[in-house]
């Protein structure tokens, strides 16, 4: 699930009960130890995103950007 103060993106509203946040911010990632993770896409990356993947660290929340903007 990805979201901010006004928007939540997920499979279905009923699957995302946000009442437990009780005024706290919604985070799209875990702690520092959970940020660096491998991920696999089923479509080839554009040259720009292939370069980004080769030269920089990939963090768990980068998957959204890569999947939406970085595939051919």
């Amino acid at each position: 699930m990805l979201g901010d103060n006004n928007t939540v993106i997920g499979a279905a509203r009923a699957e995302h009960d946000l009442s437990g946040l009780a005024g706290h911010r919604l985070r799209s990632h875990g702690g520092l130890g959970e940020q660096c993770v491998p991920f696999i896409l089923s479509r080839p990356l554009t040259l720009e995103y292939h370069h980004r993947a080769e030269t920089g660290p990939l963090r768990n929340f980068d998957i959204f950007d890569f999947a939406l903007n970085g595939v051919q």
Side-chain angles (χ1 to χ4, degrees):
M1 179 172 57
L2 172 70
D4 61 23
N5 291 336
N6 302 311
T7 307
V8 176
I9 300 171
R13 182 180 184 146
E15 295 174 4
H16 302 288
D17 178 12
L18 301 180
S19 63
L21 292 174
H24 296 282
R25 292 185 62 200
L26 179 64
R27 296 178 55 184
S28 63
H29 55 83
L32 293 177
E34 299 170 333
Q35 287 185 4
C36 296
V37 297
F39 60 79
I40 299 171
L41 296 169
S42 61
R43 293 172 51 196
L45 292 173
T46 63
L47 292 176
E48 175 191 351
Y49 278 78
H50 186 272
H51 178 72
R52 286 178 55 188
E54 296 257 326
T55 59
L58 297 177
R59 298 158 300 172
N60 59 356
F61 49 87
D62 289 328
I63 188 66
F64 300 107
D65 180 31
F66 275 67
L68 295 173
N69 304 310
V71 294
Q72 297 180 22

